[in-house]
Amino acid sequence: MLADAAIAKYYPAGSVIFTEGEMTRALYVVDSGIVKICRIGKDGREHILHFIYPGDTFNDVAAMDGQPNPATAIAHTDATTYCISRSDLQCIAQCHPSVAWALLESIARRTRHLIGVVEDLSMRNVRGRLAHLLLEEAEAQRSHAIPRMLTQQEMASRLGTVREMVGRALRGLAADGIIEFNRHHIVILDPERLAAEAEV
């Protein structure tokens, strides 16, 4: 039923899938590529909430409550998504309660993530927030070698700071032997010390 209701669409890197405040009322599933979820301040400054990888969903909240999209979705790389309308999703969830439960679990995970973001901004310095971000990315990639697809500006947008502070923190972690730069990757040399930095 999900496959029958899903509409596939390809987005080149950098293209906008939808914007904050639009009435999309649909659930999206990433088939390939990476999607960036962000909010844009009145001053034009971007704050990245998270990245969505293949197999994950986004716009769950608007699909569930029928209200405007709470954030903007942009194809971070070339991406293909499947879109399932709110009305189709309601029908499927009524026929298959396990789908409704999976959506609730997804929203619960996102809520935990956002609570962590608030904690990062209020309780960790930039170096600690960066360490936490690198650990998250390593877990998402299931590797200690993190592709440097994130620019320092994008890292700053995720961490609520400026690019110069991110650059300084990266250089500091490298100087301390915790990470190293290897071509297009950031390699975590000492996960335990990086985790300790994230707890500061």
Side-chain angles (χ1 to χ4, degrees):
M1 289 180 73
L2 284 166
D4 288 342
I7 299 171
K9 189 167 182 181
Y10 168 78
Y11 297 93
S15 58
V16 175
I17 299 171
F18 57 72
T19 59
E20 176 185 347
E22 283 184 346
M23 295 294 285
T24 305
R25 293 178 177 167
L27 178 74
Y28 288 77
V29 183
V30 178
D31 179 54
S32 64
I34 301 172
V35 173
K36 175 174 66 176
I37 307 298
C38 60
R39 298 193 70 166
I40 311 297
K42 292 181 180 179
D43 59 357
R45 185 176 171 182
E46 177 186 78
H47 181 73
I48 299 173
L49 300 176
H50 46 257
F51 286 90
I52 310 296
Y53 296 92
D56 290 337
T57 61
F58 61 99
N59 209 42
D60 309 51
V61 172
M64 295 286 280
D65 69 9
Q67 297 300 307
N69 306 327
T72 294
I74 299 172
H76 186 62
T77 65
D78 292 350
T80 301
T81 69
Y82 290 102
C83 177
I84 303 167
S85 71
R86 171 177 160 81
S87 57
D88 284 335
L89 197 60
Q90 284 178 316
C91 291
I92 294 168
Q94 287 169 359
C95 293
H96 300 277
S98 59
V99 172
W101 187 253
L103 288 169
L104 288 171
E105 287 183 332
S106 175
I107 290 174
R109 284 194 299 272
R110 297 280 157 74
T111 302
R112 284 185 180 275
H113 171 78
L114 292 175
I115 290 171
V117 169
V118 171
E119 179 185 24
D120 273 354
L121 291 173
S122 62
M123 301 181 67
R124 292 188 178 100
N125 59 25
V126 172
R127 182 165 160 139
R129 297 204 299 272
L130 177 61
H132 191 249
L133 172 63
L134 294 176
L135 289 169
E136 278 188 341
E137 287 298 309
E139 184 177 348
Q141 301 289 336
R142 295 179 174 84
S143 170
H144 288 318
I146 305 163
R148 295 178 72 177
M149 291 183 297
L150 280 179
T151 65
Q152 289 187 17
Q153 182 57 57
E154 287 167 333
M155 289 183 184
S157 295
R158 288 186 70 175
L159 300 175
T161 186
V162 295
R163 182 176 56 81
E164 292 77 12
M165 293 293 290
V166 169
R168 189 180 306 163
L170 282 170
R171 290 191 298 272
L173 290 171
D176 290 342
I178 298 173
I179 64 170
E180 72 175 6
F181 305 112
N182 181 6
R183 292 188 180 182
H184 301 296
H185 293 77
I186 297 174
V187 180
I188 299 175
L189 300 175
D190 194 330
E192 290 184 1
R193 285 178 66 196
L194 190 63
E197 291 283 350
E199 295 303 319
V200 174

